[in-house]
């Protein structure tokens, strides 16, 4: 009879986590969160800057077409006193984080994207075509557009799209 009484006493004991075990789990979660949150913020910043590069794909195509037809950027903003199709394309660009796209001038063929929302609100990014002539000298007359360079005075280079970093 005594053995059956001891078995009942053991089976009624409840199992669970001790306070120390729970504190260890909370501490581990805290350490992981302190690493993950800054990395997530970096990811968000890069994604928002990349939106500008992606949203301007049509504009970059129009600028490339103009350059291949004319051999330079002269007149890509206005022809015969009226805006060109390139200006119309720039005016139509929008996005969740993009405020405005401005053409930079006929010498460079580049443009500036201004941000009005998100991590880069109030900042801007300049996107310039990379032009090389037949002798592989950097120039803005003749040759062809071989890529695009992104730069910014107020956005850190780590946030710039990898497709167009310096």
């Amino acid at each position: 009879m005594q053995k059956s009484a001891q078995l009942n006493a053991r089976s009624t004991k409840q199992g669970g986590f001790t306070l120390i075990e729970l504190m260890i789990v909370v501490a581990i979660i805290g350490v992981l969160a302190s690493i993950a949150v800054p990395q997530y913020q970096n990811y968000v910043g890069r994604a928002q800057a990349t939106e500008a590069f992606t949203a301007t794909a049509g504009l970059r195509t129009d600028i490339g077409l103009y350059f291949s037809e004319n051999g330079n950027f002269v007149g890509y903003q206005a022809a015969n006193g009226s805006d060109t199709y390139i200006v119309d394309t720039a005016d139509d660009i929008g996005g969740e984080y993009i405020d405005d796209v401005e053409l930079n001038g006929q010498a460079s063929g580049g443009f500036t994207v201004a941000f009005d929302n998100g991590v880069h609100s109030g900042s801007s990014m300049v996107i310039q075509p990379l032009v090389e002539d037949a002798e592989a000298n950097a120039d803005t007359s003749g040759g062809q557009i071989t890529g695009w360079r992104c730069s910014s005075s107020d956005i850190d280079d780590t946030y710039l799209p990898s497709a167009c970093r310096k």
Side-chain angles (χ1 to χ4, degrees):
M1 189 109 177
Q2 281 183 332
K3 282 192 170 186
S4 66
Q6 286 177 348
L7 289 175
N8 284 340
R10 284 186 190 155
S11 65
T12 60
K13 180 181 176 188
Q14 294 194 0
F17 296 107
T18 65
L19 181 59
I20 294 197
E21 290 171 331
L22 291 173
M23 289 174 64
I24 290 171
V25 169
V26 169
I28 290 171
I29 291 172
V31 168
L32 292 175
S34 70
I35 294 169
V37 169
Q39 290 301 321
Y40 179 72
Q41 291 297 328
N42 288 341
Y43 171 77
V44 168
R46 285 193 310 269
Q48 290 175 3
T50 301
E51 180 198 29
F53 191 69
T54 304
T56 58
L59 177 61
R60 289 183 283 124
T61 301
D62 286 351
I63 291 171
L65 177 64
Y66 186 89
F67 184 79
S68 69
E69 290 174 348
N70 298 291
N72 58 42
F73 299 110
V74 175
Y76 88 120
Q77 287 181 292
N80 302 325
S82 62
D83 290 345
T84 63
Y85 63 95
I86 296 173
V87 174
D88 294 337
T89 301
D91 289 342
D92 291 340
I93 294 174
E96 187 173 345
Y97 306 103
I98 298 171
D99 179 34
D100 190 27
V101 177
E102 291 288 329
L103 300 177
N104 290 346
Q106 64 186 17
S108 69
F111 53 93
T112 301
V113 179
F115 295 93
D116 68 346
N117 199 359
V119 175
H120 307 301
S121 181
S123 301
S124 62
M125 178 171 72
V126 176
I127 302 176
Q128 291 283 126
L130 297 174
V131 180
E132 293 188 19
D133 64 11
E135 289 90 32
N137 296 321
D139 195 359
T140 57
S141 61
Q144 64 182 358
I145 295 177
T146 57
W148 296 85
R149 177 182 299 133
C150 300
S151 61
S152 178
S153 60
D154 45 6
I155 298 175
D156 191 72
D157 286 348
T158 58
Y159 293 120
L160 297 178
S162 60
C164 64
R165 282 188 196 151
K166 293 179 185 177

